[in-house]
């Protein structure tokens, strides 16, 4: 039975039961947080490293001759030096589709809030605008009825497919765009062809060379001024500065993001500064995935990864 170490258990949040992982290994050491330097010490005797966001670079991996498996408590693998892991015969496994219900729910929350201009109307109510209105309601910001509108989805994996299924309940028309960078070999229409008619764009794709700043200044200039843009994928898929400029100038109808290029954004970010402005803007702290059900599912899927790996040895 292998010895395993969790480097950043705190990233799973409170009240998560690790029993499934404990049953899959001989011994489980749990650390709430770890730096890369601490990881080198804490993994010295480990067969399995279980990690969410701690960086395991080439220098670290070459100092861990006993390590045979890295289990990532997430889908993204950008914190692991995969080339070095392969070179040192270390298997790497991630978890996918653990939070489909959680993230799709969050995506719809952003979409609905932007469509109804919730950030702006909530601000006005808090400022006393409704209380002093000459009329029984406020109508200063035009809302968007989703029925009959065009939703363009970038990413047709399990998450994008589920979001598409849910929005059909609102009567939206959904079209999936071709994979960015592979349009010539994809039967689906290219994003550029879909852009002028899109009422909402929802992003559910990984960050890569092909998707970095996929939504940029040039594409925003070709979109409807009323376009709602939602990013629950990765920071940087949108050129956030260009999107903010478009929002401020009335060339974008609404912007909702759950991700930023650097997380946590310790040095700040223009979108965070703009939250004090009267814009149809929502920024959530990368927490689309955090329902207790989704977080517990990560543990179950990680335990399955360990058991499958053991069975293949």
């Amino acid at each position: 039975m292998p010895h395993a170490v969790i480097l950043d258990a705190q990233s799973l949040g409170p009240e998560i039961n690790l029993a499934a992982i404990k049953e899959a290994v001989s011994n489980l050491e749990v650390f709430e947080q770890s730096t890369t330097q601490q990881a080198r010490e804490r993994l010295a005797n480990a067969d399995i490293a279980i990690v969410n966001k701690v960086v395991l670079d080439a220098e670290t991996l070459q100092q861990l001759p006993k390590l045979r498996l890295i289990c990532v408590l997430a889908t993204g693998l950008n914190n692991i030096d995969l080339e070095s892991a392969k070179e040192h015969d270390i298997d790497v496994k991630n978890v996918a589709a653990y939070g489909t219900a959680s993230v799709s729910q969050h995506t719809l929350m952003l979409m609905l809030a932007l469509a109804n201009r919730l950030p702006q109307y909530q601000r006005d109510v808090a400022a006393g605008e409704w209380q002093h209105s000459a009329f029984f309601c406020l109508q200063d910001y035009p809302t968007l009825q989703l029925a009959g509108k065009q939703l363009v989805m970038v990413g047709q994996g399990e998450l994008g497919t589920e979001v598409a299924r849910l929005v059909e309940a609102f009567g939206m028309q959904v079209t999936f765009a071709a994979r960015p960078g592979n349009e010539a070999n994809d039967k689906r229409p290219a994003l550029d062809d879909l852009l002028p008619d899109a009422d909402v764009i929802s992003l559910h794709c990984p960050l890569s060379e092909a998707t970095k700043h996929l939504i940029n200044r040039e594409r925003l200039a070709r979109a409807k001024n009323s376009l709602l843009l939602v990013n629950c994928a990765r920071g940087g898929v949108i050129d956030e500065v260009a999107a903010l400029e478009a929002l401020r100038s009335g060339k974008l109808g609404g912007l909702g993001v759950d991700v930023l290029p650097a997380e946590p954004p310790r040095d700040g970010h223009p979108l965070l500064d703009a939250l004090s402005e009267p814009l149809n803007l929502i920024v959530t702290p990368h927490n689309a995935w955090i329902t207790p059900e989704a977080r517990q599912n990560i543990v179950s899927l990680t335990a399955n990864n360990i058991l499958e790996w053991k069975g293949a040895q």
Side-chain angles (χ1 to χ4, degrees):
M1 290 280 281
H3 171 60
V5 175
I6 297 182
L7 291 174
D8 48 353
Q10 192 174 33
S11 66
L12 288 173
E15 300 180 8
I16 293 300
N17 188 343
L18 299 175
I21 295 176
K22 290 178 181 177
E23 292 171 3
V25 299
S26 59
N27 183 46
L28 178 66
E29 286 187 83
V30 179
F31 296 96
E32 294 299 300
Q33 297 184 51
S34 302
T35 63
T36 298
Q37 180 60 45
Q38 289 172 327
R40 295 169 190 169
E41 303 165 4
R42 294 170 176 177
L43 294 174
N45 297 311
D47 303 291
I48 301 173
I50 302 174
V51 57
N52 192 340
K53 302 302 180 190
V54 178
V55 173
L56 298 182
D57 53 24
E59 183 181 356
T60 299
L61 295 179
Q62 70 182 7
Q63 296 179 40
L64 301 170
K66 191 177 180 183
L67 193 65
R68 286 292 167 263
L69 174 65
I70 299 171
C71 286
V72 180
L73 300 166
T75 302
L77 299 171
N78 55 301
N79 56 316
I80 310 298
D81 190 316
L82 297 177
E83 291 280 336
S84 181
K86 183 177 181 180
E87 180 182 336
H88 292 90
D89 295 321
I90 302 170
D91 291 326
V92 180
K93 292 182 176 290
N94 64 345
V95 291
Y98 59 85
T100 301
S102 182
V103 178
S104 58
Q105 171 180 308
H106 195 95
T107 300
L108 260 69
M109 179 273 293
L110 292 176
M111 200 179 299
L112 291 168
L114 293 175
N116 288 284
R117 299 275 181 159
L118 180 61
Q120 292 164 297
Y121 280 115
Q122 192 73 78
R123 182 187 297 272
D124 282 1
V125 170
E129 295 294 329
W130 189 24
Q131 297 88 315
H132 299 100
S133 173
F135 202 49
F136 74 94
C137 66
L138 298 180
Q139 302 183 51
D140 298 312
Y141 314 107
T143 59
L144 182 72
Q145 181 171 287
L146 296 180
K149 300 302 189 294
Q150 294 290 326
L151 169 62
V152 171
M153 303 280 289
V154 182
Q156 199 172 356
E158 183 165 338
L159 179 56
T161 301
E162 177 63 7
V163 171
R165 185 187 72 83
L166 292 174
V167 300
E168 287 178 351
F170 293 97
M172 298 193 77
Q173 305 299 314
V174 182
T175 306
F176 287 95
R179 184 188 297 272
N182 191 46
E183 288 85 354
N185 302 311
D186 199 315
K187 294 181 179 179
R188 295 168 295 184
L191 175 62
D192 285 326
D193 294 332
L194 297 171
L195 193 62
D197 295 321
D199 295 295
V200 183
I201 294 177
S202 190
L203 302 168
H204 302 283
C205 56
L207 178 64
S208 66
E209 289 185 11
T211 61
K212 182 175 174 59
H213 288 183
L214 180 70
I215 306 299
N216 53 29
R217 186 172 282 102
E218 292 73 25
R219 286 195 167 109
L220 288 169
R222 297 180 52 240
K224 294 179 180 180
N225 291 347
S226 57
L227 176 70
L228 304 181
L229 183 56
V230 175
N231 185 14
C232 286
R234 287 288 183 267
V237 175
I238 292 174
D239 180 343
E240 289 95 354
V241 173
L244 179 58
E245 290 174 359
L247 195 62
R248 283 171 170 158
S249 63
K251 301 299 183 181
L252 180 64
L255 175 63
V257 304
D258 186 52
V259 286
L260 291 175
E263 297 174 344
R266 300 196 189 282
D267 297 325
H269 189 278
L271 289 186
L272 300 179
D273 298 336
L275 288 172
S276 61
E277 302 174 32
L279 299 171
N280 196 24
L281 171 66
I282 303 172
V283 180
T284 54
H286 201 145
N287 66 345
W289 65 282
I290 68 164
T291 61
E293 294 88 347
R295 291 184 289 119
Q296 192 62 57
N297 198 23
I298 291 173
V299 174
S300 299
L301 293 171
T302 299
N304 290 342
N305 281 341
I306 294 172
L307 293 172
E308 289 176 5
W309 175 79
K310 286 167 56 180
Q313 299 305 299

